[in-house]
Every structure is written in C-alpha cells, then in structure tokens.
Amino acid sequence: MYKQLQQRDRSDAPVNVARLGAMKAAGEPIACLTAYDASLALLVDQAGVDLVLVGDSLGMVIQGHGTTVPVTVDHIIYHSEIVARGLRRAFLVADMPFMSYTSPDQALVNAVRLMQEGGAMMVKLEGGAGQVRIVEHLARHDIPVCAHLGLRPQSVHKIGGFRVQGRAPDQAERMLADAVALEGAGADLLLLECVPNEVGRAVRDAVSVPVIGIGAGPDVDGQILVLYDILGITQGRMPRFVRDFMQGTGSVREACEHYVTAVKDRSYPAPEHCFS
Ligand code: KIV
C-alpha cells in the first residue's frame, strides 16, 4: 500500500516535509515553482523542481485579474486537482485564498477540501501574528502549513500596493517575531516575499523550518517564482526579483531545468534580483 505513495512511477522518492527539512539542514537549496495545469506540472516535475505551489497568483496569470483577491477555494481546488495529476516527485502545496481562513473552523474546513478534493499535501496562508491561532488549529489536526510573510498580496488593498516589506527596523523586528510565533504554532514551512536580503537571512536563522523566498535574497533555504514569469509569458512590468529563464533556451522544459540549476548552484537570485 505505502509503495504507491513512495514510488509512483519514478525511482527517486517523492519529496515530503521531512525531505524539505533535511534539505535545509544540509544547506541544499529547495527549488520551487508555481503551476496551474497538468501538462506544465509534469514538465516542472521532470525538470527537478522540489515543490510546486498552486498559488492564488492564478487569479492574475490565468484569470486576468489585477490582484489575487477574486480567487475562491473552488478555483484553487480545480487547479490543484489537475496539477496533482501531473506530479510524480514534487511536493504539492495549495494556497488558501482570500477570506478562506477567517476563523479556525472555516480554515480547517477549507484546508481539508484542498487536501481531499485538490490533492494538496500542504496548505499556504498569508499572515503574521494574527494567524497564529489558525495555524495552531490546522497543525493540531495534522494539516501541514506554510505561512506566507513579507509582502502579502491578499492584503494589497490594505497595504496600498505591491511593495517591499520590512525595510523599517520595527517592521523587520515584527516579521521576525511573527516567523518565530508561526513556527511555534506548528507551521512546517515559511514563505517570505519581497524583503531586503538581511531580513531574509535573519528569518532563515531564527527558525528551524525551511524558509522559501521570492524576492527575499540569496540566503533563504529555497526560491520560488511564478511559472509564467520565468517563461516570459507574463506581460507588463515585472518585479525586480523575476528572471526570464526562456532567454537563451529552446524549450519550456529546458527553461525550467535552467531555473532549477540556478537555484541549486545559487546563481539565482543575483544581486540585480534582490532588495536592500
Ligand atoms: O500565489 C502565489 O503564486 C504565491 C507566490 C508569491 C509564490 O504565493
């Protein structure tokens, strides 16, 4: 019975929470990407990506909205279910969308749906100290959780735009305290978006769970980018941390492989992708 979960049709074992922790301990960078459909999920998996996120960024890159706010639990479940069919080795994380975790009970109901209907192995939610109770409740029910700190796109209307977070010392201190509190509440993974390098480094050192960065500098335990951004599909002004990996390559598969190599050998992110 367990063989199915361990092997599927690949000889290398699927990535799990323990493996992600071991990668942090060994100093091996964790390569992560978003995906939204089975075909690209398979390519990303074959390219050697360790973790795939069905992000609520799908509201922007798939649905064409200006923010992630319109995304619903049903949307995430639909995409997670089809991405799960494409994966063989990578660990699948699904986003809890806007207003789907306003109370511990609502969060539990929606997280269970993402896992049972969407095939997710972990759920990701945005928040700091205000989400500690939610994370505790999910962790008590053995739901693996990733907590998203720094720039939180679901709060874009409150923050007043997509901008770098944690530049002011008091903001950085709060983020650090939030990271420690969320780990204490049972978070298995942290995602840190759009913060100066030194904040990324400080958070990495403050917690024992892996810290995945997007615009959080080179010193965190892994990197994640939106798949359509690295394939040069997304139009318009790109955030500083994005690199188009299609340039100089002949195929989507090759671009994804270059991304994985660049994360693993730490040539991505380069200084031009970072914030100070
Ligand atoms: O929704 C998403 O794709 C994300 C990214 C920041 C990784 O959360």
Side-chain angles (χ1 to χ4, degrees):
M1 177 181 81
Y2 295 123
K3 214 169 157 201
Q4 270 179 322
L5 187 63
Q6 298 298 325
Q7 292 187 338
R8 301 207 183 160
D9 60 357
R10 284 185 62 134
S11 53
D12 43 352
V15 178
N16 56 28
V17 175
R19 171 86 190 113
L20 296 172
M23 288 171 81
K24 173 173 176 127
E28 181 188 341
I30 303 168
C32 317
L33 277 175
T34 66
Y36 315 98
D37 69 79
S39 301
L40 285 170
L42 180 57
L43 275 180
V44 159
D45 189 282
Q46 288 171 337
V49 163
D50 302 303
L51 180 153
V52 168
L53 170 69
V54 177
D56 59 2
S57 52
L58 70 85
M60 300 168 81
V61 299
I62 303 286
Q63 298 174 334
H65 295 295
T67 73
T68 59
V69 170
V71 177
T72 67
V73 172
D74 286 340
H75 295 153
I76 298 283
I77 288 173
Y78 173 78
H79 287 278
S80 185
E81 194 187 349
I82 60 179
V83 163
R85 278 185 217 129
L87 298 184
R88 300 291 177 271
R89 173 184 168 273
F91 187 71
L92 178 57
V93 182
D95 252 342
M96 308 262 316
F98 183 63
M99 292 298 134
S100 66
Y101 46 98
T102 59
S103 70
D105 287 344
Q106 184 207 23
L108 184 59
V109 167
N110 286 323
V112 168
R113 287 196 65 203
L114 295 185
M115 294 182 77
Q116 288 191 324
E117 299 173 46
M121 298 159 179
M122 175 180 279
V123 299
K124 173 166 85 61
L125 51 82
E126 295 182 9
Q131 271 61 49
V132 162
R133 229 164 40 95
I134 308 273
V135 172
E136 261 168 7
H137 193 61
L138 296 179
R140 201 175 310 129
H141 290 84
D142 285 342
I143 308 259
V145 181
C146 172
H148 182 149
L149 292 168
L151 173 61
R152 291 175 285 119
Q154 290 172 13
S155 305
V156 62
H157 297 307
K158 184 84 174 170
I159 302 167
F162 298 103
R163 50 180 63 133
V164 181
Q165 303 293 304
R167 273 194 169 130
D170 61 325
Q171 226 191 15
E173 284 294 318
R174 211 174 316 126
M175 214 180 287
L176 210 58
D178 286 356
V180 171
L182 288 160
E183 179 183 32
D188 306 276
L189 203 66
L190 298 181
L191 189 145
L192 201 51
E193 179 165 358
C194 248
V195 298
N197 288 4
E198 62 179 293
V199 175
R201 202 176 311 126
V203 172
R204 177 207 63 190
D205 289 344
V207 297
S208 57
V209 296
V211 179
I212 309 298
I214 174 163
D219 300 321
V220 285
D221 303 304
Q223 303 291 334
I224 188 164
L225 284 174
V226 169
L227 179 61
Y228 285 22
D229 293 352
I230 74 156
L231 298 181
I233 295 171
T234 314
Q235 302 282 310
R237 198 168 150 261
M238 282 295 122
R240 181 185 172 91
F241 53 76
V242 171
R243 178 174 149 193
D244 181 351
F245 282 87
M246 273 305 268
Q247 281 180 9
T249 60
S251 69
V252 169
R253 165 88 179 257
E254 212 184 323
C256 293
E257 284 170 355
H258 282 201
Y259 169 73
V260 172
T261 302
V263 171
K264 298 280 179 188
D265 69 15
R266 297 189 188 275
S267 54
Y268 174 82
E272 66 266 28
H273 305 119
C274 296
F275 300 106
S276 52

